[in-house]
Amino acid sequence: MSAILNYGSTASPKDAVMEQIRQEAAIDQARKLIDKMNDLCFEKCVPSPGSSLSRKEEGCISMCMEKYIDTRNVVSRAWNQGVQRIQREHPTRAAALGKF
């Protein structure tokens, strides 16, 4: 809401709303990433859930999350590089990719 109510901004109201939507989408995407990562790592690292995690389980979950984030970052960078390449080589196709 703060972006919409920022009267000192040079952005138009439409731009402010679009920025707010982008921010909310980014937050939603981050929540989904964390939820998926938690589910995958917990399933992999905790074969028999109990009242607490063992040190081994804690270490496994930590390493799993680090690997998941690193892998996602590599894939994201590769995707962005591919989009940039397509934008340079095929500007009309780039508009379609930007909608994802």
Side-chain angles (χ1 to χ4, degrees):
M1 248 348 202
S2 62
I4 295 172
L5 300 176
N6 188 0
Y7 295 112
S9 174
T10 58
S12 72
K14 179 182 176 183
D15 291 340
V17 170
M18 291 301 295
E19 181 58 28
Q20 181 72 23
I21 291 169
R22 281 188 206 96
Q23 289 174 3
E24 289 175 11
I27 290 168
D28 185 54
Q29 188 175 28
R31 279 190 196 121
K32 287 178 182 175
L33 170 66
I34 291 168
D35 287 345
K36 184 170 185 156
M37 184 173 51
N38 284 340
D39 289 345
L40 291 173
C41 292
F42 190 83
E43 184 178 316
K44 176 184 180 219
C45 297
V46 184
S48 303
S51 60
S52 64
L53 297 174
S54 70
R55 283 188 169 197
K56 182 179 176 184
E57 291 168 336
E58 287 177 3
C60 179
I61 289 171
S62 179
M63 290 296 293
C64 177
M65 289 179 151
E66 286 179 28
K67 287 180 181 180
Y68 192 90
I69 290 171
D70 288 345
T71 300
R72 186 167 189 302
N73 288 339
V74 168
V75 170
S76 181
R77 277 193 299 273
W79 172 263
N80 290 335
Q81 289 171 352
V83 169
Q84 290 172 355
R85 182 181 51 79
I86 291 171
Q87 286 174 334
R88 284 191 309 271
E89 296 172 6
H90 308 283
T92 55
R93 280 184 170 172
L97 285 176
K99 293 179 183 179
F100 291 111

